[in-house]
Amino acid sequence: MRGSGNDRETSLTEYGKPLQAISTPIPGLTVWEIPVHGDNRGWFKENWQRHKMIAAGLPDFGPVQNNVSFNHSVGTTRGIHAEPWDKFVSVASGRIFGAWVDMRAGPSFGTVYSAEIDPSRAVFVPRGVGNAFQTLDPNTVYTYLVNDHYSPDAAYTSLNLADETAGFDWPIPLERAELSTKDRNNPRLHEVAPIGPRRTLVVGASGQLGRALRELYSDPTHTDFTDRSQLDLASTDLQASRRWRDYSAIINAAAYTAVDAAETEDGRAAAWATNVAGVAALARVASENGITLVHISSDYVFDGTADRPYREDDPVSPLGVYGQTKAAGDHIVTTVPRHYIVRTSWVIGEGHNFVRTMQALAERGRNPTVVNDQYGRLTFVSELAQAIRHLLDTHAPYGLYNVSGTGPVTSWADIARATFALTGHDPNRVTGVSTETYFSASAGPVAPRPHNSVLELTKIHSTGYTPSSSADSLIKYLQSSEPRSANPT
């Protein structure tokens, strides 16, 4: 697939052009006109100006290294190389004929573009797009910013400069150009394996949300799943444990959720280690490698005294240790430039949970006592996983989003009765009591619960995602499988 290329201009640097981006047929590849200011002494330009360029549409790609290539002769030709990082290429002296080929998997694979570049132009080259240049003036200085360091473990892809499919019209024929032996022997396009997108890493993939994410992200070529045995967030060499620049997103589905045990000495330490120290480790990795971090928050960051649904901008006021650790983790994640905090409530997945316990008790003939003064909406892990994927796939604005089921607000006793009724049992067998009465006979520590866990969902709706009704999801959930176990209440 060819683009409108060979955009050749005068050999003189153009002064006074305004900063602007020019799109190309290759998605993400942009040519940048750069203001150059000249007088009798020479010229000056802001070759890289993050604030202005981001405001004009350049991705905030976070360069970490600046490379310079000096080329003695006209006709020096380098490429076509596609590395696993983004590049911002420009010329400090002389002119080049630049050539680019999209080598990423997808419909644009094989698309080409070419342009003449002098000091008044630069090009942003996205990861996976092959880059090449041929010098048109002697003593040409070519410079480029990259957002990763060379690694022998990375995958590097190259294309032959003479590839017939790309069909570049090199100003100096390749048989007369200065090429390396390696570049002369690079493969043709039909021999090149397309470069896949950056991967997604799911941390805590063995938990109930992690299992739902496994089902949703079923393509193993784009997603990695890990649990505590495979990724130690407390490790001092976490940064070196994998090629983090190969990832576009980390979904942190790991959490300490034993709210009552968190009130004990050992539980408090474990909760802070997982929900705060572990999150901080992931936040550092994400920040330093340009990764989007998805973090799961909880209604327990609130004290539950509000007389309306909680909004994303409401101040936190946790009642217990678990809520305190979740609030601290949320605050840490806000320091990551690319982040989504997904705050949820009353999460139900596979394994031991409230709904399965009520279902089992109903079938065993037990008549449970259930609290009736805590209010909220159920959130099923399949819903939560879909909302996370929606935010990532649509590139929604970064920030905090409430996600729960929709529909009427209920108490836990209401949900217990609905579970009894939906499984063919008398809902009147469920007795509702206050939280204080329910826990009055408890022998161990009891974490304080928010009485109001209802979340306002306007912001997630604004992204084009509407969560399902909690009542409808409960019906489907109860129809999906039989209860596995239950503890008498």
Side-chain angles (χ1 to χ4, degrees):
M1 187 185 303
R2 293 188 59 82
S4 56
N6 291 8
D7 180 11
R8 300 182 184 176
E9 296 186 355
T10 176
S11 63
L12 299 176
T13 298
E14 293 187 43
Y15 294 153
K17 294 187 294 187
L19 177 68
Q20 62 176 328
I22 301 171
S23 61
T24 74
I26 298 177
L29 181 83
T30 49
V31 176
W32 285 80
E33 303 284 14
I34 297 178
V36 178
H37 310 284
D39 59 21
N40 60 300
R41 298 166 298 174
W43 55 258
F44 166 82
K45 65 172 177 173
E46 292 180 335
N47 198 55
W48 164 248
Q49 216 284 9
R50 177 179 175 273
H51 179 74
K52 292 178 182 178
M53 289 178 173
I54 290 173
L58 185 73
D60 192 2
F61 70 110
V64 299
Q65 185 172 317
N66 183 29
N67 302 327
V68 177
S69 169
F70 177 76
N71 306 273
H72 283 288
S73 305
V74 173
T76 300
T77 308
R78 301 175 187 264
I80 303 168
H81 305 149
E83 295 95 355
W85 49 64
D86 303 318
K87 292 183 286 191
F88 186 75
V89 303
S90 59
V91 172
S93 178
R95 291 178 302 132
I96 64 166
F97 172 81
W100 298 274
V101 184
D102 197 338
M103 295 159 70
R104 300 168 294 185
S108 62
F109 178 77
T111 301
V112 302
Y113 183 77
S114 60
E116 186 172 305
I117 306 298
D118 65 18
S120 68
R121 277 186 151 185
V123 181
F124 178 74
V125 185
R127 172 188 181 274
V129 173
N131 181 82
F133 70 88
Q134 185 176 81
T135 59
L136 303 179
D137 288 341
N139 300 326
T140 291
V141 179
Y142 176 90
T143 179
Y144 49 104
L145 296 171
V146 297
N147 61 358
D148 196 7
H149 301 100
Y150 171 81
S151 168
D153 299 326
Y156 302 94
T157 301
S158 297
L159 176 67
N160 198 291
L161 291 156
D163 180 75
E164 296 79 6
T165 305
F168 288 116
D169 181 17
W170 298 101
I172 291 87
L174 295 177
E175 59 269 20
R176 295 195 284 109
E178 294 286 344
L179 276 71
S180 70
T181 301
K182 182 178 180 180
D183 282 347
R184 287 191 185 277
N185 294 324
N186 282 333
R188 262 44 180 191
L189 191 62
H190 70 273
E191 301 173 288
V192 172
I195 300 171
R198 295 174 73 192
R199 302 173 67 83
T200 295
L201 177 67
V202 177
V203 178
S206 298
Q208 60 180 357
L209 175 57
R211 293 196 294 272
L213 289 164
R214 281 185 185 271
E215 184 175 347
L216 188 62
Y217 286 87
S218 57
D219 186 350
T221 62
H222 297 157
T223 312
D224 293 336
F225 301 93
T226 185
D227 56 27
R228 185 177 300 176
S229 66
Q230 300 163 319
L231 184 69
D232 182 6
L233 299 183
S235 172
T236 56
D237 64 348
L238 180 64
Q239 280 282 7
S241 64
R242 59 186 62 212
R243 266 195 53 81
W244 289 107
R245 285 281 177 173
D246 289 342
Y247 294 91
S248 63
I250 298 173
I251 303 174
N252 181 27
Y256 183 97
T257 59
V259 296
D260 292 328
E263 300 296 322
T264 67
E265 182 177 354
D266 290 343
R268 183 180 299 109
W272 278 90
T274 300
N275 296 347
V276 183
V279 170
L282 286 178
R284 283 193 295 271
V285 166
S287 295
E288 293 176 11
N289 293 280
I291 300 171
T292 299
L293 178 60
V294 182
H295 171 71
I296 312 304
S297 180
S298 168
D299 58 302
Y300 272 68
V301 301
F302 300 120
D303 60 15
T305 60
D307 58 1
R308 55 165 176 77
Y310 281 97
R311 299 188 299 261
E312 286 83 355
D313 58 356
D314 282 325
V316 298
S317 52
L319 297 171
V321 172
Y322 168 72
Q324 292 162 8
T325 64
K326 294 302 292 182
D330 294 357
H331 185 70
I332 291 169
V333 174
T334 62
T335 67
V336 178
R338 301 176 175 94
H339 73 268
Y340 295 111
I341 299 173
V342 179
R343 181 165 290 153
T344 191
S345 65
W346 293 18
V347 176
I348 302 293
E350 290 307 320
H352 179 70
N353 62 65
F354 177 82
V355 171
R356 290 303 185 204
T357 297
M358 292 300 107
Q359 183 182 7
L361 292 174
E363 293 176 358
R364 291 167 54 191
R366 304 295 296 271
N367 301 330
T369 298
V370 183
V371 296
N372 61 5
D373 59 353
Q374 296 174 32
Y375 298 95
R377 300 189 188 98
L378 291 181
T379 309
F380 290 84
V381 289
S382 57
E383 186 79 66
L384 197 54
Q386 290 168 13
I388 290 169
R389 184 156 192 174
H390 168 80
L391 292 172
L392 288 170
D393 288 352
T394 62
H395 305 287
Y398 296 121
L400 169 61
Y401 292 86
N402 289 337
V403 176
S404 74
T406 59
V409 174
T410 62
S411 68
W412 285 114
D414 293 331
I415 294 169
R417 294 188 182 102
T419 301
F420 269 61
L422 290 168
T423 54
H425 300 277
D426 182 4
N428 292 320
R429 289 167 49 193
V430 177
T431 300
V433 296
S434 68
T435 301
E436 181 180 4
T437 299
Y438 182 84
F439 287 109
S440 61
S442 179
V446 175
R449 268 78 166 165
H451 286 277
N452 176 16
S453 293
V454 185
L455 302 177
E456 172 61 55
L457 302 177
T458 300
K459 187 174 179 182
I460 190 67
H461 287 164
S462 70
T463 70
Y465 186 83
T466 301
S468 302
S469 159
S470 293
D472 292 344
S473 296
L474 178 61
I475 294 172
K476 294 177 182 177
Y477 182 77
L478 290 169
Q479 292 173 341
S480 65
S481 62
E482 295 299 317
R484 299 183 180 183
S485 63
N487 296 323
T489 300

